[in-house]
Amino acid sequence: MNTPPDPLDGALDRALAKTLTAPGLPAGFRAQLRAAIARHPQQDRAQLRAALEREHAAQLAELRSGYVRLRQRTLGILIGSGFAAGLLVTLALPWLKAHFGQDGVFALPAIGAIIGLALSLNAWWQRSNLARALERHLS
Amino acid sequence: MQQIALSDAGQRDRDIVELLQGGSHEVAFNRLLERYERKVYRLCCSLMRDADQAADVAQESLLRIWKGLPGYDQRASLSTWIYTITRNRCLSAIERRREAVSLSDPAVEQAAEAATATAPEAGRDHLDLLRGLVEALPERYRQALTLYYYEEKSVAEVAAMLGQAEGTIKTNLHRARALLSERVRELGLGDPSLWLEEAA
């Protein structure tokens, strides 16, 4: 069964047709274009191909350099994190053993796991729709 | 209502293609300008949201079309080729604009929000309000809706200009209208006679 058309839709359609009128070309548009064309001669097929190949090569080089930068950064972060973790273990283990006895060894991974879990939960919460809905509700 | 099927685009531009094949690039370009200059500008206006920038990008696009005309290989219809060049130019210009003004800057975000604010104001007429509501629509809905009215309600032409399927355009138009109706009702302006008076 077809629902009858909403009168508001028809009225809005007419209002939109009046509001969204096609913009006319700015004054002097064609003259400016002709002047630009006079400054830039038309390229033949070979020139066009060469220009496109140059553009393509430049884009590829940019992509490659970006990729290398990303890999270097990732490697740097991994090595840095490894050193930092090693340093932390070296410094913290004697203190943990002194305060918590031999079982203190387990405290460090437990603290690490808790921090990791907290960071994951935070990341999940920031991305979740539930958080956004709750924020909207509260504000 | 003008409805141009996409398959008709090739037929429509056959004369230009024949001129190109005959090596009459200048005559072909003049005819192309007569047919597409305004459409290219309107597409730029819709994508760029700024008339001055749209004029610059339309110039750039038409210059690129002129320079590439001898290399046009007919793999796509002429209109598809023209609109693809134009869209790519617009996207590059939008990217440049984005780099020039970082959108992550909170002050810029606030300014952008203020520019597209849609709250009704005293003294603001309904058509201005409607324009504001259209500007605040999600980008894909806004583009489809503005081009639809620019192109005399031709879904096929809008689909060709945006490089999307006609079904996608129809869906986006439907959703855009639904969102507009919803916002208008929320603002207490759901009485059709209000809009009919303004449109008269």
Side-chain angles (χ1 to χ4, degrees):
Chain A
M1 195 174 76
N2 285 338
T3 51
D6 186 344
L8 179 61
D9 287 345
L12 279 180
D13 179 60
R14 286 180 63 179
L16 281 167
K18 192 168 181 188
T19 307
L20 301 174
T21 48
L25 282 174
F29 184 87
R30 182 73 73 90
Q32 281 173 18
L33 182 62
R34 291 278 172 218
I37 284 172
R39 287 195 300 273
H40 295 86
Q42 202 171 40
Q43 292 168 313
D44 63 21
R45 201 178 274 262
Q47 281 176 311
L48 189 71
R49 189 189 188 93
L52 285 174
E53 278 173 357
R54 273 199 302 277
E55 199 174 312
H56 183 61
Q59 281 174 345
L60 267 181
E62 200 178 319
L63 273 176
R64 277 201 198 104
S65 70
Y67 179 62
V68 169
R69 269 203 302 276
L70 189 70
R71 287 187 68 173
Q72 283 172 341
R73 204 175 61 188
T74 310
L75 195 65
I77 290 171
L78 277 175
I79 292 170
S81 308
F83 271 109
L87 192 68
L88 186 72
V89 169
T90 311
L91 291 174
L93 262 184
W95 183 82
L96 283 169
K97 277 184 182 169
H99 283 80
F100 300 103
Q102 284 304 311
D103 291 339
V105 173
F106 299 108
L108 196 63
I111 292 167
I114 289 166
I115 291 170
L117 208 61
L119 288 173
S120 310
L121 273 172
N122 183 43
W124 171 79
W125 182 251
Q126 282 178 352
R127 285 166 177 237
S128 77
N129 291 329
L130 180 68
R132 263 176 247 135
L134 206 62
E135 271 173 27
R136 269 202 301 274
H137 181 70
L138 290 174
S139 63
Chain B
M1 190 162 70
Q2 188 191 6
Q3 289 284 347
I4 304 160
L6 276 179
S7 55
D8 290 344
Q11 291 291 87
R12 185 178 59 181
D13 296 328
R14 181 175 276 192
D15 55 336
I16 299 178
V17 174
E18 281 171 4
L19 283 166
L20 286 174
Q21 284 168 341
S24 308
H25 293 143
E26 196 150 350
V27 183
F29 185 68
N30 285 339
R31 201 165 291 183
L32 180 152
L33 275 187
E34 291 301 328
R35 212 166 287 168
Y36 286 102
E37 184 180 43
R38 287 169 192 79
K39 287 178 183 291
V40 163
Y41 176 62
R42 293 200 288 262
L43 177 57
C44 292
C45 281
S46 172
L47 298 184
M48 300 295 301
R49 289 174 170 235
D50 178 291
D52 289 337
Q53 287 182 8
D56 289 343
V57 180
Q59 292 263 348
E60 276 180 34
S61 307
L62 289 165
L63 186 63
R64 178 87 176 198
I65 289 162
W66 159 252
K67 283 160 88 175
L69 214 48
Y72 170 62
D73 55 12
Q74 294 181 54
R75 270 188 293 184
S77 73
L78 189 71
S79 57
T80 303
W81 182 68
I82 290 168
Y83 293 142
T84 305
I85 289 175
T86 308
R87 282 198 309 274
N88 287 341
R89 288 274 133 182
C90 287
L91 291 177
S92 300
I94 290 168
E95 196 58 40
R96 284 200 300 270
R97 189 167 65 184
R98 203 171 287 157
E99 280 168 12
V101 185
S102 170
L103 289 178
S104 58
D105 186 340
V108 174
E109 275 180 7
Q110 279 171 7
E113 277 172 21
T116 54
T118 57
E121 297 162 11
R124 199 178 175 195
D125 76 19
H126 291 135
L127 292 185
D128 273 348
L129 178 73
L130 188 59
R131 206 170 289 124
L133 292 177
V134 171
E135 284 299 310
L137 283 173
E139 197 57 16
R140 60 185 188 281
Y141 300 161
R142 188 193 61 78
Q143 288 172 1
L145 195 75
T146 49
L147 281 175
Y148 178 71
Y149 287 98
Y150 288 175
E151 298 305 318
E152 295 171 329
K153 301 186 180 180
S154 165
V155 171
E157 195 63 34
V158 177
M161 290 171 102
L162 292 176
Q164 293 170 359
E166 284 186 40
T168 309
I169 299 296
K170 283 179 188 165
T171 305
N172 287 344
L173 286 172
H174 176 75
R175 288 182 183 159
R177 289 196 195 101
L179 272 174
L180 280 179
S181 298
E182 191 185 317
R183 289 290 290 126
V184 161
R185 284 198 172 95
E186 279 172 8
L187 293 168
L189 300 167
D191 180 2
S193 63
L194 284 173
W195 300 100
L196 289 171
E197 277 168 25
E198 291 282 346

